[in-house]
Amino acid sequence: MTSIFPAPFSAKTTVEVYLSAATDVSVDVYDVRGRRVVNLVRGRQVAGTHRFSWNGTDVRGSSVASGVYFVRVKTPDTTHQRKVLRIG
């Protein structure tokens, strides 16, 4: 299960991911055109709850525009996607 808080956000949001077993995971942020904005994590994670923060910047560290973004959490077995709104 994946949750995002706060949503909407202005300065920072947190993606919370629960893994029932150790697995490879990637957490990426995409814009509405489907372009990847930034990768928050990629690699093996132990079982349990993990929190990854996004400060509203792209891969170069530039602040992204206000608008809708999609956070995609992918493991070898599942993919979850949540919408988040960046304001201000």
Side-chain angles (χ1 to χ4, degrees), residues 51-72:
R51 290 183 175 169
F52 309 102
S53 294
W54 181 43
N55 61 1
T57 61
D58 63 17
V59 69
R60 295 179 309 250
S62 300
S63 185
V64 299
S66 296
V68 174
Y69 292 87
F70 297 92
V71 177
R72 186 177 300 158

Side-chain angles (χ1 to χ4, degrees), residues 1 16-25 43-52 75:
M1 177 180 257
E16 185 175 83
V17 178
Y18 174 75
L19 301 172
S20 59
T23 190
D24 291 325
V25 66
R44 189 126 181 112
Q45 300 291 319
V46 298
T49 301
H50 302 271
R51 290 183 175 169
F52 309 102
T75 70

Side-chain angles (χ1 to χ4, degrees), residues 23-44:
T23 190
D24 291 325
V25 66
S26 65
V27 179
D28 295 288
V29 178
Y30 292 85
D31 66 15
V32 293
R33 294 184 177 169
R35 296 177 296 198
R36 187 171 70 187
V37 173
V38 70
N39 170 264
L40 302 180
V41 68
R42 180 171 288 124
R44 189 126 181 112

